[in-house]
Amino acid sequence: MLGVCAASLTLGLPWSGVNFYALDDHPAVPASALRIMSWNTESWGKDTTPNRFYSYLRAQDADVYLLQEVIRSDADDANPRAVPDADITRIYREFRGWNIVVRGELVTISRFPIVSRPAVGPDRALSNQPNADWRTVFLACKALRTDLLVGRSVLSVYNVHIPVQVDMRRSPFTPGFYRTLRDRNPARQEQYHGLLADLTANRNPALIAGDFNTSPAMGDIEPLRERLNDASRVSDSFYPISWNQLGSLRLWRLDWAFTTQGLKVDRYALKPAPHGYSDHRAQFIRASLGS
């Protein structure tokens, strides 16, 4: 019996979320390493003031920001709404002189020039619909790719927010809970397949980061973990956790960062924002090209 238990534990470790790489000695981070922040802002910092929210963002001093949920605080998955135009305008004002792409609920802010923005997955179908309404774009674009000119190299950065499959308002003891899972799964799989297809065809070094709404125990994340380098391998955390629902024991890693060949992650950390800013921890990545 003990042998069976030990074997079960061993087989289950890859899906447990435990990060044994935290025990390794990690080399010093080169001063030239890129600074990248990826963060699900929980409806664009809905529980704090805009001044505090933008002050926090700017204080992180990242070279690239990959931000999710640029939506109104009264939005939800069934009825998403765009941030008022004044708020979108403020993004450009607060990061004047930066290179910015806003697409649906995703915003990428970069110190480096953006040389192209290829559409990924379902968003490609909108290439012939330049006047598509916001909700259509919101549902289609869950992986925003921007190609950045960093020195003489082009780095592809994917800002990701895979649709959530669970309706937390429903009890798992009701048929509606599982009906929602079934109904939402096709949209998730379409986004995953589109992302993987784009990565397969992309010859640039790439960073893929964001909220995947997928825990280590879920098979959806496995194709990415098998093909890409998980940034948590250079984390000091033995059990990386990025999301929690206050007042419960649900504590999971839903936010991930991956790289392809040609981009080395020098350090990775998940850090909580000030209380009330977001229910997600932010991902902070230091990475070097040409490694």
Side-chain angles (χ1 to χ4, degrees):
M1 179 62 70
L2 288 176
V4 172
C5 291
S8 299
L9 286 171
T10 301
L11 291 172
L13 279 176
W15 298 277
S16 68
V18 176
N19 177 37
F20 288 105
Y21 292 100
L23 301 174
D24 295 342
D25 292 327
H26 303 308
V29 178
S32 60
L34 306 176
R35 299 175 181 269
I36 302 157
M37 177 187 186
S38 175
W39 186 35
N40 181 326
T41 63
E42 193 187 7
S43 300
W44 208 237
K46 66 178 182 179
D47 292 327
T48 187
T49 67
N51 287 343
R52 291 178 178 175
F53 179 76
Y54 282 104
S55 292
Y56 169 71
L57 280 180
R58 291 197 310 272
Q60 306 318 303
D61 194 29
D63 297 310
V64 181
Y65 294 85
L66 307 177
L67 306 173
Q68 301 98 47
E69 287 202 6
V70 189
I71 54 178
R72 286 179 49 151
S73 60
D74 59 349
D76 58 36
D77 292 320
N79 187 30
R81 302 179 185 177
V83 172
D85 290 343
D87 288 346
I88 295 293
T89 301
R90 183 163 182 175
I91 295 174
Y92 288 90
R93 188 169 71 248
E94 293 283 348
F95 289 91
R96 192 181 304 278
W98 291 60
N99 302 284
I100 301 172
V101 174
V102 180
R103 180 78 173 158
E105 58 145 320
L106 305 174
V107 57
T108 295
I109 306 172
S110 170
R111 294 186 191 272
F112 306 105
I114 297 173
V115 295
S116 64
R117 193 200 66 78
V120 177
D123 195 28
R124 297 179 64 183
L126 301 184
S127 59
N128 60 349
Q129 301 180 44
N131 298 318
D133 62 81
W134 187 88
R135 178 177 171 80
T136 299
V137 175
F138 170 90
L139 294 173
C141 184
K142 297 300 181 183
L144 173 59
R145 172 181 165 182
T146 50
D147 291 348
L148 313 180
L149 183 62
V150 182
R152 296 182 178 180
S153 301
V154 174
L155 170 66
S156 294
V157 176
Y158 294 79
N159 183 357
V160 178
H161 191 185
I162 298 295
V164 66
Q165 76 280 37
V166 177
D167 186 346
M168 302 300 294
R169 297 165 296 186
R170 294 183 180 269
S171 167
F173 301 104
T174 62
F177 180 86
Y178 298 97
R179 186 165 54 249
T180 299
L181 280 175
R182 184 184 66 247
D183 292 345
R184 291 183 177 183
N185 186 59
R188 282 173 56 86
Q189 296 310 314
E190 192 176 13
Q191 293 293 339
Y192 267 116
H193 293 158
L195 176 59
L196 284 168
D198 196 86
L199 285 167
T200 299
N202 189 355
R203 294 294 176 261
N204 300 327
L207 170 78
I208 308 93
D211 176 7
F212 287 80
N213 276 308
T214 307
S215 75
M218 297 171 61
D220 289 347
I221 203 72
E222 281 309 298
L224 291 177
R225 297 178 75 181
E226 290 171 357
R227 303 183 192 188
L228 307 174
N229 302 312
D230 186 347
S232 68
R233 294 185 177 184
V234 288
S235 168
D236 294 327
S237 174
F238 191 67
Y239 188 63
I241 292 172
S242 69
W243 182 85
N244 72 288
Q245 184 166 340
L246 298 179
S248 77
L249 295 178
R250 289 183 288 256
L251 296 168
W252 297 306
R253 181 186 181 190
L254 301 183
D255 300 80
W256 299 77
F258 300 97
T259 61
T260 63
Q261 186 175 1
L263 183 68
K264 175 188 175 185
V265 178
D266 301 296
R267 190 71 79 248
Y268 174 81
L270 287 161
K271 300 179 182 179
H275 178 70
Y277 283 41
S278 176
D279 56 354
H280 285 257
R281 293 187 175 189
Q283 300 184 87
F284 291 91
I285 304 135
R286 299 294 304 276
S288 301
L289 279 164
S291 304

